[in-house]
């Protein structure tokens, strides 16, 4: 099912934990539609380059299986971990920060992928929080 021209429900709910149910409820599906629209903005910002989604929505079971916190925005369908062929995670983060698009979080994670998120509540103001997560811990992106 297409959520937007370039992003499907299947890719935003894909999990390698195939034995676990990863079906979003109605509220989570609405969030995934907003997330897909945001990813379209990122795709445009990056000159139409492909965006490879490593992980987006995670049911509680999937989230627990990957060792993430219950407070993760992935749990409610508001976050995606992405890779962009031909760009480093650092380049993706810098482009998003410089663009002025309303992101909730953009995180360079382990210099392997970029975490992007939208506010959990549509009416909320985006935090525009930029971070780095790596072996040294979590810190502000500088």
């Amino acid at each position: 099912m297409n959520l937007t021209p370039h992003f499907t429900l299947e890719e935003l709910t894909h999990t390698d934990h195939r034995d676990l149910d990863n079906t979003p409820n109605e509220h989570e599906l609405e969030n995934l539609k907003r997330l897909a629209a945001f990813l379209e903005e990122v795709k445009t910002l990056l000159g139409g380059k492909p965006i490879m989604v490593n992980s987006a929505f995670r049911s509680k079971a999937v989230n627990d299986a990957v060792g993430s916190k219950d407070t993760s925005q992935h749990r409610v369908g508001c976050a995606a971990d992405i890779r962009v062929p031909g760009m480093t995670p650092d380049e993706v983060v810098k482009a998003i920060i410089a663009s002025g698009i309303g992101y909730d979080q953009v995180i360079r994670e382990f210099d392997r992928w970029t975490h992007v998120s939208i506010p959990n509540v549509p009416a909320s103001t985006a935090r525009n929080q930029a971070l780095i997560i790596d072996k040294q811990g979590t810190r502000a992106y500088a």
Side-chain angles (χ1 to χ4, degrees), residues 89-107:
D90 201 51
E91 291 170 329
V92 174
V93 169
K94 286 178 180 177
I96 291 171
I97 291 170
S99 73
I101 63 174
Y103 60 90
D104 197 56
Q105 285 186 319
V106 60
I107 307 172

Side-chain angles (χ1 to χ4, degrees), residues 31-95:
N31 285 340
L32 285 169
K33 289 175 183 176
R34 290 189 306 115
L35 179 63
F38 175 76
L39 291 171
E40 290 287 353
E41 288 184 64
V42 172
K43 182 176 181 62
T44 298
L45 164 73
L46 301 178
K49 288 184 170 61
I51 292 179
M52 313 298 288
V53 178
N54 297 341
S55 176
F57 174 73
R58 295 183 197 142
S59 66
K60 175 148 179 53
V62 171
N63 202 58
D64 289 350
V66 300
S68 189
K69 297 177 183 175
D70 281 337
T71 56
S72 169
Q73 288 181 289
H74 289 277
R75 279 284 298 115
V76 293
C78 290
D81 295 336
I82 62 172
R83 290 176 296 109
V84 180
M87 293 183 77
T88 67
D90 201 51
E91 291 170 329
V92 174
V93 169
K94 286 178 180 177

